[in-house]
């Protein structure tokens, strides 16, 4: 029996004709629609035979229209909608999203309706509409919570929303993914789904660390420990200062997962960055990353270049405290003396004294 995984492997290898010949062997019409739309998007993104796309989408539409169950029909329409959006047929995509929303009116069970709405929200995220997706996830959650049934009967539906929130986050760059991950973590944590909560918590930490270059493929590679592949992706997709920041972010992630290779990555990041042009925001970001990486000499060079007095003071304070934690108290005090903001200077000195006294057991 042909499985979705077998067809997806053919699509990945760009054997589109063979993949299409096997779609009818799938028993579930929703699987058929998902595979068809995946093939269409793959052809669009990888320069396959573009003239095939309209007939592939028409086949998916034909299968969707034949579905009787409103829940299945809504999911089918949203699947088609997200694929159309990814292929830049924006008007058609919104038409199918609206059809999907209309179909949910025919779902009697509030639990099923909430789950289906979250499926639609996931597809909206996939279509590049994260703000609308989050709104719909909240509506899905409220639909289930507001159902007049026992709380225990709602749990499975809420967990499914959490799973789809996490899945949506996985498809988005870090700056958009974080809201989805945080909402998913909140669900798993409150329902004591501890293993899933721990996984999402790690994804949150990764997205916060690898933020400027946090494309889904780069984060996925880092989660799987394929650090050099992630760096190769950064080299391919970014240049100049953004690449430098990205490589420093990867180095920081490697430090946080106890991979000592991070020290080499820091050195190589600066070797790769020729004739950089730094903005004020760049300088602030690099100073912070270098401080967290423990590369304090470099961090100090960047911190001193920050024009904003408060931010320069904060950056110098962070370096001074890091030196104090290393018990390099004289060097720490010397940096404190160069802090321009008097309030931050006083706070930094107080903190250094506390670290010094603690180290001496006072």
């Amino acid at each position: 029996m042909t499985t979705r995984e077998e067809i997806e492997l053919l699509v990945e290898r760009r054997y589109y004709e063979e993949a299409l010949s096997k779609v009818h062997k799938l028993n579930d019409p929703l699987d058929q629609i998902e595979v068809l739309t995946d093939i269409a998007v793959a052809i669009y993104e990888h320069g396959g035979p573009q003239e095939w796309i309209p007939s592939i989408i028409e086949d998916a539409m034909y299968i969707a229209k034949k579905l009787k169950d409103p829940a299945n029909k809504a999911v089918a329409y949203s699947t088609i909608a997200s694929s159309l959006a990814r292929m830049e047929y924006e008007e058609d995509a919104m038409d199918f999203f609206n059809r999907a929303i209309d179909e949910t009116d025919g779902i009697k069970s509030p639990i099923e309706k909430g789950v289906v709405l979250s499926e639609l929200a996931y597809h909206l995220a996939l279509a590049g509409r994260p703000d609308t997706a989050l709104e719909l996830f909240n509506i899905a959650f409220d639909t289930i919570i507001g159902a007049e049934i026992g709380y225990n009967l709602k749990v499975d539906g809420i967990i499914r929303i959490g799973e789809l929130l996490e899945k949506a986050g996985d498809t988005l760059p870090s700056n958009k993914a974080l809201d989805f991950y945080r909402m998913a973590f909140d669900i798993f944590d409150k329902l004591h789904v501890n293993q899933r909560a721990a996984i999402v918590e790690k994804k949150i930490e990764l997205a916060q660390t690898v933020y400027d270059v946090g494309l889904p493929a780069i984060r996925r590679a880092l989660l799987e420990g394929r650090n050099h592949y992630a760096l190769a992706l950064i080299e391919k997709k970014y240049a100049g200062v953004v690449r430098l920041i990205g490589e420093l972010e990867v180095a920081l992630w490697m430090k946080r997962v106890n991979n000592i290779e991070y020290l080499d990555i820091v050195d190589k990041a600066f070797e790769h960055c020729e004739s950089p042009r730094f903005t004020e925001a760049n300088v602030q970001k690099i100073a912070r990353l270098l401080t967290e990486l423990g590369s304090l000499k470099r961090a100090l060079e960047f911190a001193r270049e920050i024009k904003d007095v408060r931010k320069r003071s904060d950056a110098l304070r962070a370096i001074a405290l890091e030196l104090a934690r290393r018990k390099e108290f004289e060097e720490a005090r010397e940096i404190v003396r160069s802090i321009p903001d008097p309030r931050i200077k006083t706070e930094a000195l107080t903190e250094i004294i506390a670290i010094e006294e603690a180290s001496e057991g006072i």
Side-chain angles (χ1 to χ4, degrees), residues 49 56 68 84 112 118 143-144 148 150 152 162 175 187 201 211 276 302:
I56 293 170
K68 303 296 182 191
L84 288 167
E112 187 179 21
S118 65
T143 300
I144 291 178
E148 294 180 357
N152 288 342
N175 63 329
I187 287 171
E201 191 170 30
Y211 188 84
F302 280 91

Side-chain angles (χ1 to χ4, degrees), residues 28-90:
D28 187 337
L30 288 178
D31 281 346
Q32 292 178 351
I33 291 166
E34 195 152 341
V35 166
L36 283 167
T37 54
D38 283 349
I39 293 169
V41 171
I43 288 172
Y44 176 81
E45 291 179 343
H46 300 297
Q50 304 289 308
E51 66 276 10
W52 292 9
I53 291 174
S55 64
I56 293 170
I57 294 297
E58 281 171 17
D59 288 346
M61 291 176 185
Y62 177 74
I63 296 166
K65 284 174 186 173
K66 283 173 64 180
L67 294 169
K68 303 296 182 191
D69 180 63
N72 287 340
K73 207 161 194 171
V75 171
Y77 282 156
S78 70
T79 303
I80 294 167
S82 64
S83 69
L84 288 167
R86 289 163 71 190
M87 293 185 291
E88 298 183 46
Y89 296 109
E90 289 293 333

Side-chain angles (χ1 to χ4, degrees), residues 191-207:
L191 294 178
H192 305 291
V193 188
N194 297 330
Q195 189 175 5
R196 283 249 61 89
I199 290 168
V200 176
E201 191 170 30
K202 188 173 183 180
K203 289 181 178 182
I204 290 170
E205 186 185 0
L206 174 57

Side-chain angles (χ1 to χ4, degrees), residues 236-248:
K236 183 179 177 182
K237 294 177 180 294
Y238 300 100
V241 176
V242 180
R243 179 182 171 186
L244 169 64
I245 289 171
E247 288 175 346
L248 292 176

